[in-house]
Amino acid sequence: MTTFEARLASHAATTDAFLGRVLDDRVDDAGVPERLRQAMRHAVMAGGKRFRPFLVIEVSSLFGVSTRQATATAGALECLHCYSLVHDDLPAMDNDRLRRGQPTVWAAFDDWTAILAGDALLTLSFEILSRSETHANPTVRNELVSALAIAGGPVGMVGGQALDLSSDKLGDPANPTLDYVRRLQAMKTGALIRFACEAGALLGQASDQERLALKSYGAHLGVVFQIADDLLDATGDAATVGKATGKDAAAGKATQVSLLGVEAAKDYLATMVQAALDDLAPFGERGAILAQAVHFAAQRAK
Ligand code: GRG
């Protein structure tokens, strides 16, 4: 196991323990209906790389914030990410039955349960951010709430999903350009990855300059992550990837891979890898693990 893999696994375990505790508390305290509780647990605890939590924790550590202190923010972001996957998999959206190698929430339960489980995870993420354990300073908590709302909302992930579905389902636009695809991907996938990096800078009360460098790193890393995802869909197999593959081509969906071709998409991926690495220059050796994260995102097999 590389240093990076060990750190990713360790932060995933920390995040899982935190999320397990949050789900347990919510059930005991508030008498959450059993079916909803099970669906939320299925959505959150069914594997997942926990890559966004990793970024929150590692960026925070650049500024001396401990893993323990960063974990609540990491967990809040993961809740919101899991909600997005649950809703994205619904028949009305991407209509997927396999996620993280398991049945999707709507396939294991039903549509209404999946919608409500997603809603509950979305609201839970903001509840977590508002807790004093997330950060002692209420101004920092407020910044986190605001930044996550922006990243997850209409100018971020939800907007990107709307652009994606508009093209897929309404044929508007019928032939998305590379610019259109890049803009929607920066919103749909990039915004949460940018938030993960920004959140670490907020928790660590980094300088404006450091914050800008990390946002730029997050933006480039988001592109890397998305192109790798498109390449996995084009060239990976479902058993390894843990979700259906070949879907984009079958649906005639415009992606950077379909518009550029596999080789040119790989070239652009390499350019974005370098851009993300360049963003880390101000942090010198302290940024080494975040540099490894870029290579991981580019080369991942699932
Ligand atoms: C429903 C508002 C709404 C948004 C959905 C998440 C999303 C937006 C769409 C998923 C479609 C997709 C495949 C996007 C590509 C990048 C991505 C988000 C992949 C899944 O994230 P990973 O690889 O998943 O981090 P794990 O399972 O490891 O957490």
Side-chain angles (χ1 to χ4, degrees):
M1 203 186 254
T2 62
T3 316
F4 172 82
E5 286 165 348
R7 283 269 263 281
L8 182 63
S10 157
H11 296 333
T14 307
T15 305
D16 287 355
F18 172 83
L19 291 170
R21 275 199 311 278
V22 169
L23 289 172
D24 287 347
D25 289 350
R26 271 285 140 267
V27 175
D28 292 347
D29 287 3
V32 176
E34 182 60 16
R35 190 174 178 80
L36 180 62
R37 184 191 72 80
Q38 282 178 12
M40 289 171 73
R41 200 172 283 279
H42 182 100
V44 172
M45 302 311 273
K49 293 180 289 297
R50 310 306 199 205
F51 185 59
R52 295 159 192 76
F54 167 90
L55 291 172
V56 174
I57 293 168
E58 287 296 342
V59 172
S60 298
S61 85
L62 284 178
F63 307 104
V65 176
S66 69
T67 299
R68 194 186 54 75
Q69 281 179 296
T71 300
T73 302
L77 173 56
E78 188 66 12
C79 281
L80 192 137
H81 167 61
C82 291
Y83 124 74
S84 78
L85 299 179
V86 172
H87 281 193
D88 183 63
D89 290 333
L90 284 164
M93 295 214 192
D94 222 24
N95 194 19
D96 271 307
R97 292 184 159 271
L98 187 67
R99 166 76 63 189
R100 296 170 165 173
Q102 312 231 18
T104 52
V105 177
W106 74 267
F109 296 84
D110 48 54
D111 289 14
W112 65 265
T113 307
I115 292 169
L116 293 176
D119 292 341
L121 289 171
L122 170 60
T123 47
L124 182 58
S125 65
F126 288 100
E127 185 206 326
I128 295 168
L129 287 185
S130 73
R131 293 178 183 173
S132 55
E133 69 172 306
T134 295
H135 199 283
N137 184 340
T139 303
V140 172
R141 299 203 295 273
N142 192 54
E143 285 172 340
L144 289 167
V145 165
S146 171
L148 184 59
I150 291 168
V155 297
M157 185 183 70
V158 168
Q161 180 79 344
L163 287 175
D164 203 5
L165 293 181
S166 168
S167 162
D168 277 2
K169 298 197 184 284
L170 304 175
D172 175 25
N175 296 303
T177 60
L178 192 56
D179 273 356
Y180 183 92
V181 169
R182 285 184 177 158
R183 186 161 65 92
L184 90 79
Q185 292 184 341
M187 293 164 76
K188 186 178 89 163
T189 308
L192 286 199
I193 291 178
R194 268 193 324 270
F195 170 81
C197 300
E198 191 186 359
L202 289 172
L203 285 167
Q205 295 176 282
S207 68
D208 286 350
Q209 211 181 356
E210 289 165 326
R211 208 169 134 175
L212 277 178
L214 288 163
K215 274 181 91 165
S216 178
Y217 165 79
H220 289 129
L221 180 60
V223 179
V224 168
F225 195 87
Q226 177 65 58
I227 298 179
D229 209 76
D230 292 346
L231 285 166
L232 283 175
D233 186 78
T235 60
D237 69 287
T240 314
V241 181
K243 61 183 179 183
T245 54
K247 286 194 66 181
D248 295 342
K253 187 182 169 95
T255 68
Q256 299 209 52
V257 173
S258 76
L259 292 173
L260 290 169
V262 170
E263 287 316 310
K266 284 185 177 168
D267 288 347
Y268 187 65
L269 175 69
T271 306
M272 292 294 106
V273 164
Q274 193 51 51
L277 297 176
D278 291 346
D279 292 325
L280 295 172
F283 304 102
E285 259 313 293
R286 289 188 301 143
I289 194 91
L290 292 173
Q292 289 173 39
V294 180
H295 295 298
F296 166 81
Q299 290 156 13
R300 68 203 172 92
K302 65 177 188 174

